[in-house]
Amino acid sequence: MLTAQHYHDHGHGAPADHVSLTYEDRFLRRKVLTLASGTPLLVDLPQTTSLNHGGVLITSHKTEIRIEAAPEPLLSVTGPSLHRIAWHVGNRHTPCQIEDERLLIQRDHVMADMLAKIGADVRDVIEPFTPEGGAYGHGRTHGHDHSHSHT
């Protein structure tokens, strides 16, 4: 079976194949994935990693497999005070894709209700999800320990 044990945030040429994964599925260490070509790929990374859209897995044959964000159920959030809405989303540590005219977040009826109450227009959409990675590094923001110094 084809195996990948390395990951890079960007490729260096034409990828040999690609795999489309949801936001949650792009957080992994060891898993068998099915590439777009139908080929199985064993991902066996040294640690749990957040794979970003556009990143590449490097196979044992030194070929690159491109990571693509798969369409998934999301909420499109707009409103006249988008900066205020974004503050409320961030205050709840909700992964968020920030665009000029809207925010995208994972579907959550509690968040949708709260956002509507503060004046947001919330619509269901199905699109790829590539949220911001956070101020403390790449990938996921959860699990960051705030007890140490950043000096």
Side-chain angles (χ1 to χ4, degrees), residues 60-104:
S60 53
H61 297 96
K62 306 296 184 218
T63 58
E64 295 182 354
I65 307 299
R66 179 179 160 83
I67 305 300
E68 294 185 0
E72 59 186 287
L74 302 170
L75 295 174
S76 173
V77 183
T78 59
S81 185
L82 199 55
H83 59 281
R84 180 173 173 258
I85 294 166
W87 183 89
H88 282 281
V89 170
N91 192 46
R92 284 151 185 86
H93 300 276
T94 299
C96 182
Q97 181 174 325
I98 301 170
E99 299 177 355
D100 288 339
E101 302 295 324
R102 70 175 183 169
L103 308 175
L104 287 174

mmCIF file of all heavy atoms in Angstrom, residues 60-104:
data_model
loop_
_atom_site.group_PDB
_atom_site.id
_atom_site.type_symbol
_atom_site.label_atom_id
_atom_site.label_comp_id
_atom_site.label_asym_id
_atom_site.label_seq_id
_atom_site.Cartn_x
_atom_site.Cartn_y
_atom_site.Cartn_z
ATOM 1 N N SER A 60 6.227 7.536 0.345
ATOM 2 C CA SER A 60 7.527 6.862 0.436
ATOM 3 C C SER A 60 8.238 6.853 -0.915
ATOM 4 O O SER A 60 9.447 6.670 -0.971
ATOM 5 C CB SER A 60 7.337 5.434 0.953
ATOM 6 O OG SER A 60 6.382 4.752 0.162
ATOM 7 N N HIS A 61 7.497 7.071 -2.014
ATOM 8 C CA HIS A 61 8.086 7.165 -3.355
ATOM 9 C C HIS A 61 8.439 8.610 -3.724
ATOM 10 O O HIS A 61 8.737 8.909 -4.874
ATOM 11 C CB HIS A 61 7.113 6.603 -4.405
ATOM 12 C CG HIS A 61 6.825 5.165 -4.210
ATOM 13 N ND1 HIS A 61 5.711 4.721 -3.526
ATOM 14 C CD2 HIS A 61 7.521 4.056 -4.581
ATOM 15 C CE1 HIS A 61 5.718 3.399 -3.497
ATOM 16 N NE2 HIS A 61 6.804 2.976 -4.121
ATOM 17 N N LYS A 62 8.353 9.527 -2.727
ATOM 18 C CA LYS A 62 8.680 10.957 -2.899
ATOM 19 C C LYS A 62 7.701 11.698 -3.813
ATOM 20 O O LYS A 62 8.030 12.743 -4.358
ATOM 21 C CB LYS A 62 10.112 11.163 -3.411
ATOM 22 C CG LYS A 62 11.170 10.489 -2.576
ATOM 23 C CD LYS A 62 11.234 11.070 -1.188
ATOM 24 C CE LYS A 62 12.381 10.436 -0.414
ATOM 25 N NZ LYS A 62 12.078 10.199 0.961
ATOM 26 N N THR A 63 6.494 11.157 -3.993
ATOM 27 C CA THR A 63 5.478 11.867 -4.756
ATOM 28 C C THR A 63 4.609 12.678 -3.796
ATOM 29 O O THR A 63 4.513 12.365 -2.610
ATOM 30 C CB THR A 63 4.594 10.914 -5.578
ATOM 31 O OG1 THR A 63 3.977 9.975 -4.691
ATOM 32 C CG2 THR A 63 5.410 10.163 -6.615
ATOM 33 N N GLU A 64 4.016 13.735 -4.320
ATOM 34 C CA GLU A 64 3.188 14.626 -3.515
ATOM 35 C C GLU A 64 1.704 14.344 -3.761
ATOM 36 O O GLU A 64 1.275 14.214 -4.904
ATOM 37 C CB GLU A 64 3.485 16.090 -3.841
ATOM 38 C CG GLU A 64 4.893 16.489 -3.460
ATOM 39 C CD GLU A 64 5.177 17.960 -3.734
ATOM 40 O OE1 GLU A 64 4.325 18.655 -4.333
ATOM 41 O OE2 GLU A 64 6.259 18.414 -3.338
ATOM 42 N N ILE A 65 0.952 14.282 -2.674
ATOM 43 C CA ILE A 65 -0.506 14.130 -2.712
ATOM 44 C C ILE A 65 -1.097 15.412 -2.156
ATOM 45 O O ILE A 65 -0.895 15.736 -0.974
ATOM 46 C CB ILE A 65 -0.961 12.907 -1.886
ATOM 47 C CG1 ILE A 65 -0.226 11.633 -2.308
ATOM 48 C CG2 ILE A 65 -2.477 12.769 -1.961
ATOM 49 C CD1 ILE A 65 -0.420 11.207 -3.738
ATOM 50 N N ARG A 66 -1.812 16.147 -2.982
ATOM 51 C CA ARG A 66 -2.375 17.443 -2.581
ATOM 52 C C ARG A 66 -3.595 17.257 -1.683
ATOM 53 O O ARG A 66 -4.440 16.406 -1.927
ATOM 54 C CB ARG A 66 -2.770 18.239 -3.824
ATOM 55 C CG ARG A 66 -3.382 19.593 -3.508
ATOM 56 C CD ARG A 66 -3.727 20.337 -4.809
ATOM 57 N NE ARG A 66 -4.699 21.370 -4.593
ATOM 58 C CZ ARG A 66 -4.425 22.593 -4.163
ATOM 59 N NH1 ARG A 66 -3.180 22.918 -3.882
ATOM 60 N NH2 ARG A 66 -5.378 23.484 -4.006
ATOM 61 N N ILE A 67 -3.681 18.069 -0.647
ATOM 62 C CA ILE A 67 -4.828 18.095 0.259
ATOM 63 C C ILE A 67 -5.803 19.169 -0.237
ATOM 64 O O ILE A 67 -5.395 20.309 -0.486
ATOM 65 C CB ILE A 67 -4.395 18.441 1.705
ATOM 66 C CG1 ILE A 67 -3.318 17.475 2.205
ATOM 67 C CG2 ILE A 67 -5.603 18.477 2.632
ATOM 68 C CD1 ILE A 67 -3.728 16.030 2.235
ATOM 69 N N GLU A 68 -7.059 18.812 -0.385
ATOM 70 C CA GLU A 68 -8.088 19.771 -0.775
ATOM 71 C C GLU A 68 -9.191 19.789 0.277
ATOM 72 O O GLU A 68 -9.556 18.747 0.816
ATOM 73 C CB GLU A 68 -8.669 19.411 -2.136
ATOM 74 C CG GLU A 68 -7.651 19.547 -3.252
ATOM 75 C CD GLU A 68 -8.235 19.302 -4.627
ATOM 76 O OE1 GLU A 68 -9.452 19.025 -4.738
ATOM 77 O OE2 GLU A 68 -7.459 19.388 -5.591
ATOM 78 N N ALA A 69 -9.688 20.967 0.567
ATOM 79 C CA ALA A 69 -10.813 21.107 1.495
ATOM 80 C C ALA A 69 -12.080 20.644 0.781
ATOM 81 O O ALA A 69 -12.443 21.184 -0.268
ATOM 82 C CB ALA A 69 -10.947 22.555 1.947
ATOM 83 N N ALA A 70 -12.737 19.647 1.333
ATOM 84 C CA ALA A 70 -13.963 19.103 0.735
ATOM 85 C C ALA A 70 -15.161 19.974 1.101
ATOM 86 O O ALA A 70 -15.206 20.550 2.197
ATOM 87 C CB ALA A 70 -14.197 17.675 1.224
ATOM 88 N N PRO A 71 -16.138 20.080 0.201
ATOM 89 C CA PRO A 71 -17.370 20.786 0.565
ATOM 90 C C PRO A 71 -18.036 20.098 1.758
ATOM 91 O O PRO A 71 -18.040 18.865 1.845
ATOM 92 C CB PRO A 71 -18.235 20.661 -0.694
ATOM 93 C CG PRO A 71 -17.258 20.405 -1.796
ATOM 94 C CD PRO A 71 -16.148 19.613 -1.173
ATOM 95 N N GLU A 72 -18.575 20.904 2.670
ATOM 96 C CA GLU A 72 -19.239 20.377 3.851
ATOM 97 C C GLU A 72 -20.325 21.352 4.301
ATOM 98 O O GLU A 72 -20.311 22.520 3.912
ATOM 99 C CB GLU A 72 -18.245 20.098 4.965
ATOM 100 C CG GLU A 72 -17.437 21.305 5.420
ATOM 101 C CD GLU A 72 -16.368 20.931 6.437
ATOM 102 O OE1 GLU A 72 -16.723 20.640 7.598
ATOM 103 O OE2 GLU A 72 -15.178 20.929 6.066
ATOM 104 N N PRO A 73 -21.252 20.917 5.124
ATOM 105 C CA PRO A 73 -22.330 21.800 5.597
ATOM 106 C C PRO A 73 -21.790 22.893 6.513
ATOM 107 O O PRO A 73 -21.131 22.605 7.510
ATOM 108 C CB PRO A 73 -23.260 20.861 6.370
ATOM 109 C CG PRO A 73 -22.863 19.479 5.995
ATOM 110 C CD PRO A 73 -21.427 19.537 5.595
ATOM 111 N N LEU A 74 -22.070 24.148 6.158
ATOM 112 C CA LEU A 74 -21.587 25.302 6.904
ATOM 113 C C LEU A 74 -22.687 26.332 7.058
ATOM 114 O O LEU A 74 -23.752 26.208 6.453
ATOM 115 C CB LEU A 74 -20.409 25.954 6.166
ATOM 116 C CG LEU A 74 -19.195 25.093 5.877
ATOM 117 C CD1 LEU A 74 -18.244 25.823 4.940
ATOM 118 C CD2 LEU A 74 -18.496 24.692 7.164
ATOM 119 N N LEU A 75 -22.399 27.350 7.853
ATOM 120 C CA LEU A 75 -23.262 28.522 7.962
ATOM 121 C C LEU A 75 -22.524 29.707 7.357
ATOM 122 O O LEU A 75 -21.373 29.969 7.708
ATOM 123 C CB LEU A 75 -23.594 28.826 9.427
ATOM 124 C CG LEU A 75 -24.417 27.800 10.178
ATOM 125 C CD1 LEU A 75 -24.533 28.190 11.654
ATOM 126 C CD2 LEU A 75 -25.802 27.655 9.559
ATOM 127 N N SER A 76 -23.182 30.406 6.445
ATOM 128 C CA SER A 76 -22.679 31.664 5.905
ATOM 129 C C SER A 76 -23.297 32.773 6.737
ATOM 130 O O SER A 76 -24.520 32.848 6.877
ATOM 131 C CB SER A 76 -23.091 31.802 4.436
ATOM 132 O OG SER A 76 -22.743 33.089 3.945
ATOM 133 N N VAL A 77 -22.447 33.618 7.311
ATOM 134 C CA VAL A 77 -22.901 34.649 8.246
ATOM 135 C C VAL A 77 -22.549 36.028 7.680
ATOM 136 O O VAL A 77 -21.380 36.306 7.395
ATOM 137 C CB VAL A 77 -22.242 34.463 9.631
ATOM 138 C CG1 VAL A 77 -22.770 35.482 10.618
ATOM 139 C CG2 VAL A 77 -22.442 33.034 10.144
ATOM 140 N N THR A 78 -23.561 36.861 7.518
ATOM 141 C CA THR A 78 -23.362 38.229 7.057
ATOM 142 C C THR A 78 -24.138 39.152 7.983
ATOM 143 O O THR A 78 -24.925 38.696 8.815
ATOM 144 C CB THR A 78 -23.844 38.416 5.604
ATOM 145 O OG1 THR A 78 -25.234 38.085 5.535
ATOM 146 C CG2 THR A 78 -23.065 37.541 4.638
ATOM 147 N N GLY A 79 -23.938 40.439 7.798
ATOM 148 C CA GLY A 79 -24.680 41.398 8.605
ATOM 149 C C GLY A 79 -24.054 42.770 8.527
ATOM 150 O O GLY A 79 -22.911 42.920 8.083
ATOM 151 N N PRO A 80 -24.793 43.774 8.974
ATOM 152 C CA PRO A 80 -24.311 45.150 8.885
ATOM 153 C C PRO A 80 -23.142 45.448 9.826
ATOM 154 O O PRO A 80 -22.412 46.399 9.613
ATOM 155 C CB PRO A 80 -25.543 45.981 9.260
ATOM 156 C CG PRO A 80 -26.371 45.069 10.102
ATOM 157 C CD PRO A 80 -26.123 43.681 9.564
ATOM 158 N N SER A 81 -22.945 44.644 10.830
ATOM 159 C CA SER A 81 -21.876 44.858 11.797
ATOM 160 C C SER A 81 -21.020 43.591 11.869
ATOM 161 O O SER A 81 -20.933 42.934 12.906
ATOM 162 C CB SER A 81 -22.482 45.209 13.161
ATOM 163 O OG SER A 81 -21.480 45.532 14.076
ATOM 164 N N LEU A 82 -20.396 43.248 10.723
ATOM 165 C CA LEU A 82 -19.666 41.982 10.634
ATOM 166 C C LEU A 82 -18.514 41.890 11.632
ATOM 167 O O LEU A 82 -18.243 40.813 12.159
ATOM 168 C CB LEU A 82 -19.158 41.762 9.205
ATOM 169 C CG LEU A 82 -18.785 40.331 8.826
ATOM 170 C CD1 LEU A 82 -19.934 39.362 9.067
ATOM 171 C CD2 LEU A 82 -18.334 40.262 7.385
ATOM 172 N N HIS A 83 -17.863 43.003 11.951
ATOM 173 C CA HIS A 83 -16.772 42.958 12.933
ATOM 174 C C HIS A 83 -17.301 42.585 14.317
ATOM 175 O O HIS A 83 -16.674 41.841 15.046
ATOM 176 C CB HIS A 83 -16.004 44.290 12.964
ATOM 177 C CG HIS A 83 -16.844 45.468 13.311
ATOM 178 N ND1 HIS A 83 -17.671 46.083 12.399
ATOM 179 C CD2 HIS A 83 -16.998 46.130 14.471
ATOM 180 C CE1 HIS A 83 -18.299 47.091 12.993
ATOM 181 N NE2 HIS A 83 -17.907 47.141 14.246
ATOM 182 N N ARG A 84 -18.477 43.065 14.668
ATOM 183 C CA ARG A 84 -19.090 42.712 15.954
ATOM 184 C C ARG A 84 -19.502 41.238 15.957
ATOM 185 O O ARG A 84 -19.293 40.513 16.940
ATOM 186 C CB ARG A 84 -20.316 43.594 16.210
ATOM 187 C CG ARG A 84 -21.016 43.295 17.516
ATOM 188 C CD ARG A 84 -22.123 44.338 17.786
ATOM 189 N NE ARG A 84 -22.881 43.948 18.937
ATOM 190 C CZ ARG A 84 -24.086 43.381 18.887
ATOM 191 N NH1 ARG A 84 -24.670 43.166 17.724
ATOM 192 N NH2 ARG A 84 -24.712 43.041 19.994
ATOM 193 N N ILE A 85 -20.069 40.786 14.853
ATOM 194 C CA ILE A 85 -20.464 39.374 14.720
ATOM 195 C C ILE A 85 -19.222 38.486 14.835
ATOM 196 O O ILE A 85 -19.235 37.468 15.537
ATOM 197 C CB ILE A 85 -21.195 39.153 13.382
ATOM 198 C CG1 ILE A 85 -22.531 39.907 13.385
ATOM 199 C CG2 ILE A 85 -21.395 37.673 13.107
ATOM 200 C CD1 ILE A 85 -23.180 40.038 12.010
ATOM 201 N N ALA A 86 -18.125 38.878 14.167
ATOM 202 C CA ALA A 86 -16.885 38.103 14.219
ATOM 203 C C ALA A 86 -16.356 38.016 15.653
ATOM 204 O O ALA A 86 -15.846 36.979 16.077
ATOM 205 C CB ALA A 86 -15.835 38.716 13.297
ATOM 206 N N TRP A 87 -16.495 39.102 16.416
ATOM 207 C CA TRP A 87 -16.059 39.080 17.808
ATOM 208 C C TRP A 87 -16.824 38.012 18.583
ATOM 209 O O TRP A 87 -16.227 37.238 19.344
ATOM 210 C CB TRP A 87 -16.250 40.451 18.464
ATOM 211 C CG TRP A 87 -15.733 40.449 19.873
ATOM 212 C CD1 TRP A 87 -14.471 40.731 20.269
ATOM 213 C CD2 TRP A 87 -16.465 40.092 21.062
ATOM 214 N NE1 TRP A 87 -14.363 40.581 21.642
ATOM 215 C CE2 TRP A 87 -15.582 40.185 22.154
ATOM 216 C CE3 TRP A 87 -17.777 39.707 21.311
ATOM 217 C CZ2 TRP A 87 -15.952 39.918 23.458
ATOM 218 C CZ3 TRP A 87 -18.157 39.434 22.614
ATOM 219 C CH2 TRP A 87 -17.255 39.538 23.673
ATOM 220 N N HIS A 88 -18.134 37.937 18.393
ATOM 221 C CA HIS A 88 -18.948 36.951 19.109
ATOM 222 C C HIS A 88 -18.572 35.526 18.703
ATOM 223 O O HIS A 88 -18.529 34.629 19.554
ATOM 224 C CB HIS A 88 -20.440 37.209 18.878
ATOM 225 C CG HIS A 88 -20.974 38.336 19.702
ATOM 226 N ND1 HIS A 88 -21.300 38.192 21.032
ATOM 227 C CD2 HIS A 88 -21.221 39.628 19.386
ATOM 228 C CE1 HIS A 88 -21.730 39.351 21.508
ATOM 229 N NE2 HIS A 88 -21.686 40.241 20.529
ATOM 230 N N VAL A 89 -18.293 35.314 17.417
ATOM 231 C CA VAL A 89 -17.868 33.984 16.955
ATOM 232 C C VAL A 89 -16.528 33.634 17.608
ATOM 233 O O VAL A 89 -16.352 32.541 18.158
ATOM 234 C CB VAL A 89 -17.769 33.948 15.415
ATOM 235 C CG1 VAL A 89 -17.093 32.661 14.944
ATOM 236 C CG2 VAL A 89 -19.160 34.076 14.792
ATOM 237 N N GLY A 90 -15.579 34.560 17.576
ATOM 238 C CA GLY A 90 -14.264 34.311 18.164
ATOM 239 C C GLY A 90 -14.314 34.123 19.665
ATOM 240 O O GLY A 90 -13.559 33.326 20.226
ATOM 241 N N ASN A 91 -15.200 34.850 20.322
ATOM 242 C CA ASN A 91 -15.345 34.733 21.768
ATOM 243 C C ASN A 91 -15.779 33.327 22.187
ATOM 244 O O ASN A 91 -15.558 32.926 23.318
ATOM 245 C CB ASN A 91 -16.343 35.781 22.282
ATOM 246 C CG ASN A 91 -16.320 35.912 23.781
ATOM 247 O OD1 ASN A 91 -15.259 35.981 24.386
ATOM 248 N ND2 ASN A 91 -17.491 35.937 24.382
ATOM 249 N N ARG A 92 -16.373 32.595 21.269
ATOM 250 C CA ARG A 92 -16.807 31.215 21.537
ATOM 251 C C ARG A 92 -15.810 30.191 20.989
ATOM 252 O O ARG A 92 -16.094 29.017 20.922
ATOM 253 C CB ARG A 92 -18.202 30.996 20.979
ATOM 254 C CG ARG A 92 -19.223 31.655 21.890
ATOM 255 C CD ARG A 92 -20.466 32.108 21.161
ATOM 256 N NE ARG A 92 -21.357 32.838 22.067
ATOM 257 C CZ ARG A 92 -21.263 34.132 22.330
ATOM 258 N NH1 ARG A 92 -20.318 34.856 21.785
ATOM 259 N NH2 ARG A 92 -22.107 34.721 23.151
ATOM 260 N N HIS A 93 -14.639 30.667 20.581
ATOM 261 C CA HIS A 93 -13.564 29.801 20.065
ATOM 262 C C HIS A 93 -14.061 28.882 18.961
ATOM 263 O O HIS A 93 -13.672 27.715 18.885
ATOM 264 C CB HIS A 93 -12.910 29.000 21.200
ATOM 265 C CG HIS A 93 -12.301 29.870 22.238
ATOM 266 N ND1 HIS A 93 -11.034 30.386 22.113
ATOM 267 C CD2 HIS A 93 -12.793 30.361 23.409
ATOM 268 C CE1 HIS A 93 -10.762 31.148 23.164
ATOM 269 N NE2 HIS A 93 -11.813 31.154 23.959
ATOM 270 N N THR A 94 -14.904 29.424 18.097
ATOM 271 C CA THR A 94 -15.469 28.678 16.985
ATOM 272 C C THR A 94 -14.575 28.837 15.757
ATOM 273 O O THR A 94 -14.270 29.965 15.376
ATOM 274 C CB THR A 94 -16.887 29.218 16.673
ATOM 275 O OG1 THR A 94 -17.697 29.030 17.828
ATOM 276 C CG2 THR A 94 -17.507 28.511 15.492
ATOM 277 N N PRO A 95 -14.136 27.740 15.140
ATOM 278 C CA PRO A 95 -13.357 27.876 13.904
ATOM 279 C C PRO A 95 -14.143 28.719 12.901
ATOM 280 O O PRO A 95 -15.353 28.535 12.728
ATOM 281 C CB PRO A 95 -13.199 26.434 13.412
ATOM 282 C CG PRO A 95 -13.344 25.598 14.643
ATOM 283 C CD PRO A 95 -14.349 26.336 15.495
ATOM 284 N N CYS A 96 -13.458 29.651 12.233
ATOM 285 C CA CYS A 96 -14.137 30.619 11.378
ATOM 286 C C CYS A 96 -13.281 30.962 10.163
ATOM 287 O O CYS A 96 -12.102 31.275 10.297
ATOM 288 C CB CYS A 96 -14.432 31.885 12.185
ATOM 289 S SG CYS A 96 -15.311 33.156 11.287
ATOM 290 N N GLN A 97 -13.900 30.897 9.001
ATOM 291 C CA GLN A 97 -13.280 31.347 7.765
ATOM 292 C C GLN A 97 -13.734 32.786 7.549
ATOM 293 O O GLN A 97 -14.922 33.051 7.405
ATOM 294 C CB GLN A 97 -13.711 30.455 6.604
ATOM 295 C CG GLN A 97 -13.098 30.824 5.282
ATOM 296 C CD GLN A 97 -13.452 29.811 4.207
ATOM 297 O OE1 GLN A 97 -13.566 28.617 4.466
ATOM 298 N NE2 GLN A 97 -13.617 30.295 2.981
ATOM 299 N N ILE A 98 -12.788 33.707 7.534
ATOM 300 C CA ILE A 98 -13.104 35.128 7.460
ATOM 301 C C ILE A 98 -12.898 35.619 6.028
ATOM 302 O O ILE A 98 -11.802 35.521 5.485
ATOM 303 C CB ILE A 98 -12.230 35.933 8.438
ATOM 304 C CG1 ILE A 98 -12.460 35.428 9.872
ATOM 305 C CG2 ILE A 98 -12.518 37.425 8.315
ATOM 306 C CD1 ILE A 98 -11.484 35.967 10.883
ATOM 307 N N GLU A 99 -13.971 36.145 5.448
ATOM 308 C CA GLU A 99 -13.920 36.717 4.102
ATOM 309 C C GLU A 99 -14.325 38.185 4.193
ATOM 310 O O GLU A 99 -14.810 38.631 5.231
ATOM 311 C CB GLU A 99 -14.844 35.934 3.174
ATOM 312 C CG GLU A 99 -14.439 34.469 3.053
ATOM 313 C CD GLU A 99 -15.375 33.641 2.186
ATOM 314 O OE1 GLU A 99 -16.419 34.174 1.735
ATOM 315 O OE2 GLU A 99 -15.070 32.458 1.961
ATOM 316 N N ASP A 100 -14.148 38.931 3.126
ATOM 317 C CA ASP A 100 -14.460 40.363 3.148
ATOM 318 C C ASP A 100 -15.926 40.647 3.478
ATOM 319 O O ASP A 100 -16.222 41.588 4.205
ATOM 320 C CB ASP A 100 -14.122 41.014 1.805
ATOM 321 C CG ASP A 100 -12.629 41.134 1.578
ATOM 322 O OD1 ASP A 100 -11.867 41.090 2.565
ATOM 323 O OD2 ASP A 100 -12.225 41.261 0.413
ATOM 324 N N GLU A 101 -16.839 39.862 2.947
ATOM 325 C CA GLU A 101 -18.270 40.153 3.072
ATOM 326 C C GLU A 101 -19.041 39.162 3.945
ATOM 327 O O GLU A 101 -20.252 39.319 4.129
ATOM 328 C CB GLU A 101 -18.917 40.196 1.679
ATOM 329 C CG GLU A 101 -18.283 41.215 0.746
ATOM 330 C CD GLU A 101 -18.466 42.645 1.210
ATOM 331 O OE1 GLU A 101 -19.546 42.955 1.766
ATOM 332 O OE2 GLU A 101 -17.525 43.441 1.038
ATOM 333 N N ARG A 102 -18.357 38.119 4.437
ATOM 334 C CA ARG A 102 -19.052 37.112 5.240
ATOM 335 C C ARG A 102 -18.074 36.300 6.065
ATOM 336 O O ARG A 102 -16.863 36.329 5.844
ATOM 337 C CB ARG A 102 -19.873 36.175 4.360
ATOM 338 C CG ARG A 102 -18.993 35.249 3.526
ATOM 339 C CD ARG A 102 -19.771 34.241 2.749
ATOM 340 N NE ARG A 102 -18.839 33.359 2.040
ATOM 341 C CZ ARG A 102 -19.195 32.258 1.439
ATOM 342 N NH1 ARG A 102 -20.461 31.879 1.439
ATOM 343 N NH2 ARG A 102 -18.292 31.515 0.831
ATOM 344 N N LEU A 103 -18.658 35.550 7.008
ATOM 345 C CA LEU A 103 -17.936 34.563 7.797
ATOM 346 C C LEU A 103 -18.516 33.201 7.454
ATOM 347 O O LEU A 103 -19.709 33.089 7.176
ATOM 348 C CB LEU A 103 -18.120 34.823 9.288
ATOM 349 C CG LEU A 103 -17.817 36.231 9.806
ATOM 350 C CD1 LEU A 103 -18.180 36.331 11.280
ATOM 351 C CD2 LEU A 103 -16.358 36.578 9.577
ATOM 352 N N LEU A 104 -17.706 32.167 7.508
ATOM 353 C CA LEU A 104 -18.181 30.794 7.380
ATOM 354 C C LEU A 104 -17.819 30.055 8.654
ATOM 355 O O LEU A 104 -16.672 30.127 9.113
ATOM 356 C CB LEU A 104 -17.540 30.079 6.184
ATOM 357 C CG LEU A 104 -18.004 30.479 4.796
ATOM 358 C CD1 LEU A 104 -17.162 29.775 3.738
ATOM 359 C CD2 LEU A 104 -19.471 30.152 4.601
#
